[in-house]
Amino acid sequence: MRYVFITGTTGGLGASLLGAFRDDRIISITRRKVQTDIGLYREFHVDFLDEGTLEEEIMDIFGSIDPDAGDEIFLINNAGAVGPVKSVENMDAKGYLDNYKVNVLAPALFIKGFIRAFKPLDAQKKILTVSSGAALSPMEGWAAYCTSKAAVNMLSGVTRAETADFNPPVLSSTFRPGVIDTGMQKTIRESDPKEFPNIDKFKNYKSEDRLLDPDFVASILKEIIASDDFAEVANYDIADYM
Ligand SMILES: NC(=O)c1ccc[n+]([C@@H]2O[C@H](COP(=O)([O-])OP(=O)(O)OC[C@H]3O[C@@H](n4cnc5c(N)ncnc54)[C@H](OP(=O)(O)O)[C@@H]3O)[C@@H](O)[C@H]2O)c1
């Protein structure tokens, strides 16, 4: 049996991940009800901006399955937010905090809950956190986003260091999915050009049909996390699969 915990499945890459794992037992964690014809095994609703409630619900979420030895359990930290898109000069504290709650704190709490719930179980336990090229390359207007994705790279790195001696193992890596045709790209194209000087580059990605299909990206993510040598690479990049 394979259990797959996926965050942010209301649209974009997360909705495509539902399709990719449709034959498995999917536990979806979102702030809104998911509109899908795919049978969800369990569904939890929590706004990641409400970190107190998220922290309270984490063990209920991971305690909602009863896996056996030999099962596979995946956690895919997919939910994310690009905004606020503002220069460092104009960004306020709430803007940073809201972004970090969704992009950094929520994945950290999910990883904690996953380890606590399943550490002793003799199952295949794998965590893949969706990162971004923005973790490695500065982009004007994306101070919150770039720093948040750099943070999850390090969050996964620390997790790897702390779990290296676990027996049975808990494996963790990150994934840079490329530029995908999702709601997040629409948000980017609708940014204030004064705050986001690169806006034309992203408008051109769309008009020139250069955005990746989220179903394709989901299929690559599945290939990576399901592989027998998962986590031999610390930070996966979709460019290596195209
Ligand atoms: N699209 C790209 O080009 C691109 C590139 C590199 C990396 N990524 C990464 O890929 C992942 C998926 O992005 P996407 O493009 O599919 O974005 P998307 O279409 O905007 O979807 C984001 C998902 O995150 C959820 N989310 C946002 N804020 C939340 C909150 N406060 N509480 C709970 N859930 C929340 C959204 O739920 P709601 O529907 O409720 O808002 C949605 O399900 C993200 O981690 C993103 O950073 C995307």
Side-chain angles (χ1 to χ4, degrees):
M1 196 82 71
R2 179 189 284 162
Y3 298 91
V4 189
F5 293 84
I6 312 174
T7 68
T9 57
T10 53
L13 178 58
S16 292
L17 287 168
L18 294 183
F21 289 100
R22 65 187 315 141
D23 295 331
D24 300 312
R25 295 192 163 187
I26 297 172
I27 303 92
S28 154
I29 308 109
T30 58
R31 60 178 163 179
R32 297 186 289 122
K33 180 146 184 59
V34 179
Q35 305 298 332
T36 178
D37 59 357
I38 291 165
L40 300 174
Y41 184 64
R42 298 269 189 276
E43 193 172 358
F44 291 88
H45 297 137
V46 51
D47 188 337
F48 299 172
L49 293 174
D50 181 358
E51 72 277 12
T53 302
L54 179 61
E55 194 164 32
E56 276 171 25
E57 292 211 3
I58 284 284
M59 291 321 291
D60 286 346
I61 292 169
F62 291 110
S64 70
I65 68 168
D66 188 16
D68 294 317
D71 284 344
E72 292 175 287
I73 316 169
F74 298 169
L75 165 62
I76 303 171
N77 281 313
N78 164 73
V82 69
V85 177
K86 281 186 179 182
S87 64
V88 172
E89 189 181 352
N90 290 334
M91 186 77 131
D92 59 19
K94 185 173 185 308
Y96 282 111
L97 282 176
D98 283 357
N99 183 286
Y100 293 166
K101 283 181 184 181
V102 178
N103 288 4
V104 185
L105 184 56
L109 293 176
F110 281 112
I111 291 173
K112 172 185 176 179
F114 184 92
I115 291 172
R116 288 198 168 201
F118 306 124
K119 184 177 179 180
L121 187 72
D122 189 11
Q124 279 194 54
K125 293 161 287 189
K126 301 177 176 179
I127 301 167
L128 190 56
T129 300
V130 180
S131 183
S132 168
L136 307 177
S137 305
M139 177 73 74
E140 291 165 82
W142 286 9
Y145 188 66
C146 289
T147 52
S148 73
K149 292 301 185 180
V152 290
N153 283 4
M154 194 50 84
L155 171 69
S156 179
V158 172
T159 303
R160 289 167 67 88
E162 291 181 356
T163 58
D165 295 333
F166 283 13
N167 187 17
V170 172
L171 303 173
S172 174
S173 287
T174 72
F175 175 56
R176 298 196 295 279
V179 189
I180 326 165
D181 197 2
T182 66
M184 184 175 284
Q185 283 298 320
K186 187 164 181 288
T187 302
I188 291 167
R189 290 192 298 275
E190 291 170 355
S191 304
D192 177 351
K194 290 198 284 298
E195 301 288 347
F196 186 51
N198 281 299
I199 193 164
D200 286 341
K201 179 174 155 187
F202 284 81
K203 285 183 173 172
N204 290 342
Y205 283 146
K206 180 69 174 172
S207 62
E208 294 168 6
D209 207 15
R210 288 165 58 199
L211 295 172
L212 296 175
D213 179 344
D215 288 347
F216 168 72
V217 177
S219 73
I220 300 297
L221 188 156
K222 181 180 180 183
E223 181 186 327
I224 289 170
I225 197 169
S227 68
D228 290 338
D229 61 359
F230 173 71
E232 281 189 7
V233 173
N235 302 293
Y236 289 92
D237 184 351
I238 196 161
D240 296 327
Y241 292 79
M242 293 175 15

